[in-house]
Amino acid sequence: MDYRTARTHHKMAGAPQSNCTSPRPSSFLLTGIPGLVGTQGWLTLVFGPMYVLALLGNGSLLGVVQVESALHQPMFLLLATLAATDIGLATSVAPGLLAVLWLGPRWMPYAACLAQMFFVHALMAMESGVLLAMACDRAVAVGRPLHYSSLVTKARVGYAVLALALKAVAIVAPFPLLVARFEHFRAKTIHHAYCAHMAVVELVVGNTRANNLYGLALSLAVSGVDILGIAGSYGLIAHAVLQLPTREARAKAFGTCSSHICVILAFYVPGLFSYLTHRFGRHTVPKSVHILLSNIYLLLPPALNPLIYGVRTKQIRERLLEIFPFKKKQF
């Protein structure tokens, strides 16, 4: 029995709302951004360049770090990890998002929906963890510069990245598993541009308390713990900077962290705003605004991060200028 047949049967038999169900669908219909169906094609002019910028910018950073042996240092290896994560995060969302916005609603297979759900949340957890690792790296570099080379090595950075990847996989794997246990759904249509966890859970027939609690716990455990760790690291950095004897030394020490601070703000501020509008503004903030913010949140950091590091990090900027020289024409 498909959804329309079940709905007709429900009206005729006077069955309760919970009986208006269909078996687990083979695919979901992604409709895009509610309320903007007629005009959302124009949004490709925003999200398309953001995705291209994310690919080109982060790809350039990866290429520069790989080619230049002088950049095979812990700080730049972490930057390369962040760039790779940004490419994965943007690619997990942008192609499908652009297809929905430009071509209209499209079907996504059930298994592909669960896979996208996993990769989006896992890569977000990975990015948050890498930002924490970069904050710890800067704290050691500023607080204990004489011991930095012995405390922060390439091998330890590799182990840290592996641990972050395993942690992201372990804590996000329950998301698709918690959804896969349900056998019946109210509908096949997801009013979203990608398979977000809560957007799929809203269609489920059954007790979704475990999904809701795990989603909340994951947000607090991942973002909350990482934010506290980043705040603690910058507290140590501020304490070390204030101990420096001259104003010039303090400005130089702070300058080494400026790019990372900008990246942190680009990642957490839109995410926090999107989270607050979802949790506390459901009845005041239109759903179209919330979904639009969630898509911006996933594509904005990958697009901005390479610009921030490319402009504000001297070593990266110099290598990029050597590869892409901008010389004035002589007439």
Side-chain angles (χ1 to χ4, degrees):
M1 183 185 297
D2 61 10
Y3 174 62
R4 292 182 179 178
T5 305
R7 190 174 180 181
T8 303
H9 183 271
H10 157 69
K11 291 181 178 180
M12 294 177 62
Q17 179 71 15
S18 60
N19 290 336
C20 181
T21 65
S22 61
R24 177 190 297 168
S26 60
S27 58
F28 290 109
L29 181 66
L30 297 173
T31 63
I33 302 175
L36 300 179
V37 176
T39 59
Q40 63 183 4
W42 293 101
L43 292 176
T44 57
L45 299 178
V46 177
F47 291 118
M50 290 174 67
Y51 181 48
V52 172
L53 185 59
L55 291 180
L56 294 180
N58 289 291
S60 298
L61 285 180
L62 283 172
V64 168
V65 173
Q66 181 179 4
V67 170
E68 296 293 334
S69 58
L71 299 181
H72 293 177
Q73 303 172 24
M75 181 181 74
F76 297 107
L77 294 178
L78 287 173
L79 176 58
T81 303
L82 182 67
T85 304
D86 281 336
I87 291 176
L89 181 59
T91 302
S92 67
V93 174
L97 167 65
L98 294 174
V100 171
L101 295 180
W102 185 254
L103 302 176
R106 70 185 187 96
W107 291 95
M108 174 176 282
Y110 178 80
C113 184
L114 295 185
Q116 185 184 50
M117 182 190 306
F118 169 78
F119 281 109
V120 167
H121 291 286
L123 289 168
M124 288 173 61
M126 181 69 182
E127 177 140 357
S128 182
V130 173
L131 291 177
L132 173 60
M134 296 175 76
C136 294
D137 171 78
R138 292 299 84 200
V140 176
V142 174
R144 304 187 65 180
L146 298 179
H147 302 89
Y148 176 79
S149 59
S150 60
L151 292 175
V152 183
T153 64
K154 290 188 287 186
R156 289 179 178 176
V157 168
Y159 291 136
V161 171
L162 178 61
L164 290 173
L166 293 176
K167 183 196 76 170
V169 171
I171 63 178
V172 175
F175 264 156
L177 296 178
L178 286 171
V179 174
R181 65 194 175 100
F182 294 105
E183 296 292 338
H184 294 86
F185 290 75
R186 294 187 178 89
K188 301 178 182 179
T189 302
I190 299 177
H191 297 290
H192 212 299
Y194 66 94
C195 282
H197 174 250
M198 292 310 300
V200 178
V201 170
E202 289 177 355
L203 306 180
V204 165
V205 175
N207 188 350
T208 61
R209 179 175 298 179
N211 298 71
N212 296 328
L213 291 178
Y214 190 78
L216 179 60
L218 184 63
S219 298
L220 295 177
V222 175
S223 298
V225 172
D226 289 347
I227 289 174
L228 289 177
I230 291 171
S233 298
Y234 273 94
L236 296 175
I237 291 173
H239 180 267
V241 169
L242 292 177
Q243 302 301 314
L244 296 176
T246 63
R247 185 174 181 179
E248 290 76 11
R250 290 193 292 270
K252 183 178 180 181
F254 180 76
T256 63
C257 306
S258 59
S259 299
H260 187 239
I261 293 174
C262 294
V263 169
I264 290 173
L265 294 177
F267 181 75
Y268 284 110
V269 171
L272 180 61
F273 188 71
S274 178
Y275 175 81
L276 291 177
T277 57
H278 177 72
R279 290 289 176 182
F280 306 107
R282 289 186 177 183
H283 303 294
T284 57
V285 179
K287 189 173 183 179
S288 58
V289 174
H290 167 66
I291 294 177
L292 185 62
L293 288 174
S294 68
N295 287 288
I296 292 175
Y297 167 53
L298 294 178
L299 290 177
L300 183 63
L304 288 182
N305 290 349
L307 292 179
I308 294 172
Y309 277 107
V311 172
R312 301 185 65 88
T313 305
K314 181 180 178 182
Q315 296 94 323
I316 296 291
R317 184 172 64 250
E318 290 177 349
R319 298 306 188 278
L320 288 175
L321 290 176
E322 290 176 2
I323 297 174
F324 305 105
F326 297 96
K327 297 180 180 180
K328 295 182 178 180
K329 294 181 178 181
Q330 300 294 333
F331 294 97

